Amino acid sequence: MKLIKINEQPERGVSHNAKVRKRVMVGPGVVQGITNYSRAVFPPGEKAAEHLHEDMAEVFTCESGCGEIRVNDVGYVFSAGTTVVVGPGEVHEIINSGSANLVVTYFGVLAD
């Protein structure tokens, strides 16, 4: 059993944009098959630029704020209560197009 308090985790920039800050609650090797479980805060106008992962899927849930998630060059509204699953090899990016912080909880799952 592990007990993790998100506000006690160190804050760092995401690899795609250091202005987007994240706290990793579960890192690699803690739960088999899960690469990370994190929460990221996107200030207004910031984004995690388009990229893909050949070896994993990612699941993103918008906690608060509003923005856009683009998957394979198609944009979708990304607002509180929305979850998006991105498969291995799918190009994706998240953009905060709103006026408040966009808060996203996400995890990665290794592909079979």
Side-chain angles (χ1 to χ4, degrees):
M1 191 288 253
K2 292 197 177 285
L3 178 65
I4 300 147
K5 295 183 180 183
I6 193 166
N7 291 332
E8 294 176 0
Q9 304 312 303
E11 186 179 82
R12 59 183 181 222
V14 300
S15 60
H16 312 292
N17 180 343
K19 292 179 184 175
V20 176
R21 307 301 291 172
K22 75 175 178 181
R23 293 177 192 259
V24 177
M25 295 170 280
V26 177
V30 175
V31 177
Q32 185 175 351
I34 302 290
T35 62
N36 73 88
Y37 176 55
S38 304
R39 180 171 55 177
V41 178
F42 293 69
E46 295 300 327
K47 68 179 179 178
E50 69 176 24
H51 62 283
L52 62 86
H53 309 281
E54 294 290 348
D55 63 341
M56 72 175 187
E58 285 186 295
V59 179
F60 300 95
T61 298
C62 180
E63 289 185 32
S64 63
C66 186
E68 179 181 20
I69 187 163
R70 297 189 63 78
V71 180
N72 294 328
D73 217 17
V74 177
Y76 303 91
V77 174
F78 196 44
S79 58
T82 302
T83 297
V84 175
V85 179
V86 177
E90 291 187 307
V91 177
H92 57 284
E93 70 179 329
I94 297 174
I95 305 159
N96 182 349
S97 55
S99 59
N101 284 343
L102 175 64
V103 180
V104 178
T105 302
Y106 64 99
F107 63 95
V109 180
L110 292 173
D112 290 333

